[in-house]
Each structure stands twice: as C-alpha cells, then as structure tokens.
Amino acid sequence: MRILKIKLFPLILLIVAVFLFFLVTLKWGFFSSSVPDTVNAQTISTCLNRVNIPESELHWVYAPENASALHTEENYYFLAGQLISNKVVDASTCPSDGLTLNGYANACGMSVAKPSVVYIQNSMDEAILQAWKDVGVPPVLLKQMIRTESQFW
C-alpha cells in the first residue's frame, strides 16, 4: 500500500500544478485575447509605389561622360593599413609604424598613404565606366559597392 502512495504522489502533484497553472492564467487573462481583432497588411511594396522620386535620391544612377567625373579622394583607413602592412607605403616615421592594433592605418599612416590611396581608388574608374557601357551597371553604384565591400583592396 505504501508503494502505491509513493507512486501516486508525483501524479497528484502534477495534477495540482496543472490546475493551479490554468487557474492563474484565467485569473490574470494571459490567454484571453492575445490575437488582435483586426489585422492590417501592406498590399503594395513601398519600393514599387514610389513616384516623383527627387533627383537628389538618384545620385547613384548618374552616368558621367568620362572617367574623370568618378574621381574621389576619400580616406580609406583599411586600404591604407593594407598598403602599409604590405610595404607598399613606408610609414615607419609614424607612431606604431602607421597602424592601429586592428590593422587599419592610424591618422599619421593615413596621411602618409593618402597619395597611394587616392591613386588606387581612382585607378579603376575607366573600367567602371566601361562596365556601364558594356553591361549597363551604373558606374557610381559600382564604385560605391567596391568601396563598401573592399575599400579597393
């Protein structure tokens, strides 16, 4: 008889716990109305619904007449760091040899590497413009993608 009482105790405890759980959830309304009465959905994509787009938002579609119009002089610290690390640029006069701990150029390294950085970021302008003529890829968009993905390294 005692063995039967011991085996029934966990079952009785489980039944009481489930009963208390449902009692508490009903009292505080945890499951009362978690589903909204109405659901709103957007039927047309905002990208497809754009009309009268301002010309200022279309700068990436711009296709210049010649490659010199794509010229930029941005500070690319990753590119400068790679040029310094690979001994293309000598930044030994700078603190920490021109590099930060993560391999990017520090301010001094960037100033030393700036001419090379400007040269490299503009060395592909002719090929980028040719891609526009051959395939139709907007040149500013392509240059910005290369900048974002690799900083021209």
Side-chain angles (χ1 to χ4, degrees), residues 7-114:
K7 287 185 178 181
L8 285 177
F9 183 72
L11 182 60
I12 294 170
L13 188 62
L14 178 65
I15 292 171
V16 170
V18 169
F19 175 75
L20 289 174
F21 173 75
F22 283 113
L23 184 67
V24 168
T25 55
L26 289 175
K27 182 178 180 182
W28 283 297
F30 291 139
F31 297 118
S32 60
S33 64
S34 59
V35 179
D37 295 335
T38 59
V39 176
N40 295 325
Q42 183 177 352
T43 57
I44 299 174
S45 169
T46 55
C47 292
L48 298 175
N49 198 24
R50 301 245 356 228
V51 292
N52 300 324
I53 300 172
E55 207 170 300
S56 62
E57 290 185 29
L58 298 174
H59 62 88
W60 57 271
V61 183
Y62 168 69
E65 294 291 323
N66 55 42
S68 64
L70 290 172
H71 183 84
T72 55
E73 294 190 12
E74 302 292 326
N75 289 333
Y76 296 129
Y77 286 85
F78 175 75
L79 175 59
Q82 293 300 313
L83 293 172
I84 293 167
S85 296
N86 290 287
K87 311 267 188 265
V88 176
V89 173
D90 179 22
S92 59
T93 58
C94 293
S96 302
D97 289 330
L99 296 171
T100 61
L101 292 176
N102 63 4
Y104 283 64
N106 60 24
C108 180
M110 184 67 235
S111 66
V112 170
K114 180 76 174 195

Side-chain angles (χ1 to χ4, degrees), residues 92-146:
S92 59
T93 58
C94 293
S96 302
D97 289 330
L99 296 171
T100 61
L101 292 176
N102 63 4
Y104 283 64
N106 60 24
C108 180
M110 184 67 235
S111 66
V112 170
K114 180 76 174 195
S116 298
V117 168
V118 170
Y119 173 78
I120 289 172
Q121 68 186 274
N122 294 300
S123 64
M124 292 191 281
D125 288 352
E126 198 65 50
I128 290 171
L129 191 59
Q130 192 61 43
W132 163 253
K133 294 173 183 172
D134 294 345
V135 185
V137 178
V140 174
L141 174 66
L142 183 56
K143 187 162 183 174
Q144 294 300 321
M145 282 177 46
I146 296 169

